[in-house]
Amino acid sequence: MSSYLENYADFNLRNTFAPFAQDAELPLADVLTAADAQRIVAEEKVSFGNTPGATWTPALTLWAWLGQVLGDDKSCRQAVANFVLTFALSLEPENLDTGAYCRARAKLSARVLERLALHVGHGLEQAAPESWLWKQKHRVLLADGSTSQLPDTEENQKAFPQATSQKKGLGYPLIRWVVLVGLATAAIQDFAYGPYAGKETGETALLRQLLEAFAPGDILLADRFYCSYFMAALLQSHGVHVVARLHQRRKYDFRRGEQLGEGDHIVTWLKPERPDWMSEELYDMLPTEMRMREILRRVHKPGYRVTELVIATTLLDAQEYAADDIAELYAERWHVELDIRTLKATLGMGELRCKTPFMVEKEIWTHILAYNLVRKVGAQVAWEAKVSPRSVSFKAVKQAILAGWQKASTIEVADYVRLAQAMLRILRTQKVGHRPGRCEPRAVKKRPKPHKLLTEPRPIARAKLLQEKAAPSTQ
């Protein structure tokens, strides 16, 4: 394979996304084209690196940052080293400058990163064939929340204070976030985050920020934390259905209501009093009562903690939506837990690295863009193999992308297509293990390192240590 791109000055957005199997001859080619990326960058008026002697352009900066997110090292030094070794023949030693790269990252608009990430996620869901959808017609969106830890800087602490249970100087700033993931493609459809604690910082409040991501006919699949009258009513006002486990504080009685079958009935929920977060206008717009279907299922599998499960849904037609089908759909909710683990553990989003909220926002959306691009390649593999995208290993796809990172970004188009097709063929064998009925203890085997816990701020502990060393010996 010959290289046609020998100088970083010729690097463009087509090269940026080349490692992710981007070509018109490949499946799902329209999910993100170079023209799409160029249009988004132009509309957000992002332009830098055009002056004589400048190295980092938007295309190069984004390429390096995506590689940094996907790689295991995560450091800016490694990202710059990858860049330098890719274009070693056209660079001077001073190009190995992490400062210039970090300043370039700061110039990348967070809005550009967000639009690119969601463009990929939405494009994947829109391109999904009917066989990937629930009952060949419904898009199902999974919702759940988690947290990420930030570096302990004054700016981060001010915007995202640490948990109040931790002493000052001993904790880390935290963000709470909620993610919407497509069940069919595992691609992220939207994302909201905020401080860990405070007014309107809970997961339901964050989910309300994402209501515009739903389309009529969609189904929200969530755990019982999101199962409330107001959430169901707000979603119904958007033409969206709900399938969720019944909240533990809501009582049920299957002797009442409209009987649809054993452990299956329709009941009427009454509108509660107006909560503080809701305006009077919105409260008055919502119905005073709502018909909800409740489905009871008992779990007899050994090792399962849950023995009785009640599912609440707005899918009322028992002929079109059988109770067993809805119960099976709810069992798919666990996928969002695996997707969050992929974000936090496989991509490292559990502990972010940027030291200011300004850069944290960009780092978050770069992670989501990288995640969605990997999912896009997994969907391409699934498309050709005629299987579900979730059956393709995320980690295997990530490893394959990194293996061809530099080559894919610099070779000629004809050779590039062959390289991408070879990667997709190889990945067909990298499937997620199917282990039905898996049961594992909720415990870890590895023991923590035998270090003492820091019980006071590090500067104070360091000062005491130095003072002890400087004190004259009494012996």
Side-chain angles (χ1 to χ4, degrees):
M1 294 185 180
S2 58
S3 173
Y4 87 100
L5 186 64
E6 297 180 351
N7 195 305
Y8 65 89
D10 299 323
F11 200 96
N12 55 43
L13 286 169
R14 191 203 74 81
N15 304 106
T16 299
F17 297 106
F20 302 97
Q22 297 283 126
D23 191 85
E25 297 185 31
L26 301 172
L28 301 175
D30 295 334
V31 169
L32 178 66
T33 65
D36 291 330
Q38 188 61 54
R39 173 180 54 81
I40 291 172
V41 170
E43 288 175 355
E44 297 300 327
K45 297 180 173 57
V46 174
S47 178
F48 56 88
N50 301 318
T51 58
T55 301
W56 294 100
T57 62
L60 267 173
T61 305
L62 184 54
W63 174 81
W65 205 349
L66 287 170
Q68 182 179 358
V69 166
L70 292 174
D72 294 329
D73 186 276
K74 306 292 184 187
S75 69
C76 292
R77 185 182 299 276
Q78 181 64 59
V80 174
N82 288 340
F83 161 66
V84 169
L85 292 176
T86 302
F87 302 103
L89 298 180
S90 61
L91 289 171
E92 298 297 330
E94 57 267 21
N95 290 119
L96 188 59
D97 178 10
T98 57
Y101 167 60
C102 291
R103 288 190 294 272
R105 293 199 314 172
K107 295 175 185 176
L108 268 181
S109 165
R111 180 61 179 158
V112 164
L113 297 168
E114 177 184 353
R115 288 186 61 185
L116 286 171
L118 297 184
H119 184 93
V120 177
H122 297 166
L124 269 182
E125 286 290 310
Q126 292 167 6
E130 290 184 354
S131 60
W132 292 1
L133 305 179
W134 189 61
K135 289 188 172 293
Q136 286 73 51
K137 64 178 181 179
H138 286 293
R139 183 177 74 145
V140 178
L141 296 184
L142 305 163
D144 208 351
S146 189
T147 60
S148 292
Q149 180 179 290
L150 309 180
D152 189 13
T153 65
E154 184 177 348
E155 295 92 334
N156 285 342
Q157 284 281 12
K158 185 176 180 180
F160 307 105
Q162 66 188 51
T164 55
S165 59
Q166 296 175 314
K167 295 181 180 179
K168 185 177 180 180
L170 298 182
Y172 289 89
L174 284 176
I175 62 170
R176 187 193 302 279
W177 47 266
V178 166
V179 63
L180 277 181
V181 184
L183 175 62
T185 64
I188 293 175
Q189 302 302 297
D190 215 340
F191 186 93
Y193 73 99
Y196 175 75
K199 187 176 181 181
E200 285 300 286
T201 59
E203 291 183 18
T204 53
L206 292 174
L207 181 59
R208 290 196 297 271
Q209 298 179 22
L210 306 180
L211 293 181
E212 295 302 322
F214 292 91
D218 287 350
I219 297 174
L220 169 67
L221 183 57
D223 64 16
R224 58 188 177 186
F225 189 77
Y226 301 93
C227 184
S228 69
Y229 181 96
F230 293 118
M231 184 60 69
L234 287 171
L235 287 166
Q236 274 203 320
S237 69
H238 287 70
V240 179
H241 290 289
V242 177
V243 174
R245 187 177 178 186
L246 192 70
H247 196 280
Q248 65 269 23
R249 295 180 65 181
R250 184 174 287 277
K251 305 301 180 183
Y252 59 89
D253 185 350
F254 280 89
R255 296 171 298 179
R256 300 182 178 183
E258 178 185 341
Q259 300 298 318
L260 302 178
E262 185 179 356
D264 186 6
H265 70 172
I266 295 176
V267 294
T268 299
W269 288 7
L270 301 179
K271 182 166 66 171
E273 294 183 0
R274 181 176 67 87
D276 293 339
W277 58 266
M278 182 176 287
S279 66
E280 293 185 7
E281 294 77 12
L282 179 57
Y283 183 78
D284 293 338
M285 287 174 56
L286 297 180
T288 56
E289 60 182 37
M290 184 167 47
R291 281 161 53 85
M292 292 290 292
R293 184 179 178 187
E294 297 174 347
I295 300 170
L296 172 65
R297 287 294 179 267
R298 290 185 170 84
V299 182
H300 303 291
K301 293 183 179 180
Y304 279 52
R305 290 180 299 154
V306 177
T307 58
E308 188 173 89
L309 184 71
V310 178
I311 302 167
T313 180
T314 54
L315 298 170
L316 305 182
D317 190 338
Q319 296 298 318
E320 186 173 3
Y321 305 104
D324 287 342
D325 291 343
I326 294 175
E328 289 178 4
L329 175 61
Y330 182 76
E332 299 293 312
R333 191 209 68 82
W334 183 252
H335 282 297
V336 73
E337 306 282 356
L338 304 179
D339 297 334
I340 288 176
R341 184 181 69 180
T342 296
L343 267 175
K344 296 182 68 172
T346 307
L347 284 190
M349 198 171 134
E351 295 183 9
L352 299 173
R353 304 171 67 95
C354 288
K355 299 181 179 180
T356 65
F358 172 74
M359 290 301 298
V360 165
E361 182 181 15
K362 301 172 192 286
E363 186 178 11
I364 287 172
W365 285 110
T366 305
H367 276 79
I368 296 173
L369 174 58
Y371 172 92
N372 274 353
L373 286 168
V374 174
R375 288 298 191 190
K376 194 263 309 180
V377 176
Q380 290 174 282
V381 176
W383 183 286
E384 290 191 334
K386 295 180 173 53
V387 297
S388 165
R390 288 189 173 276
S391 66
V392 181
S393 167
F394 180 95
K395 193 166 186 177
V397 174
K398 180 179 84 92
Q399 291 168 339
I401 289 170
L402 287 174
W405 188 262
Q406 294 177 343
K407 179 66 73 176
S409 300
T410 57
I411 60 176
E412 294 179 352
V413 175
D415 289 333
Y416 167 74
V417 173
R418 290 197 294 271
L419 177 68
Q421 289 174 336
M423 179 178 71
L424 296 182
R425 286 196 303 272
I426 292 170
L427 285 171
R428 289 186 189 182
T429 63
Q430 304 302 308
K431 298 180 180 180
V432 176
H434 181 57
R435 294 176 284 184
R438 181 187 181 194
C439 177
E440 297 289 345
R442 295 175 65 85
V444 295
K445 181 177 179 180
K446 289 186 177 180
R447 271 53 175 172
K449 302 295 182 181
H451 293 300
K452 295 181 179 179
L453 294 177
L454 193 63
T455 57
E456 56 189 353
R458 188 171 296 276
I460 296 177
R462 185 186 299 115
K464 287 183 177 180
L465 183 62
L466 292 173
Q467 186 177 13
E468 291 175 0
K469 290 186 175 182
S473 175
T474 58
Q475 295 181 356

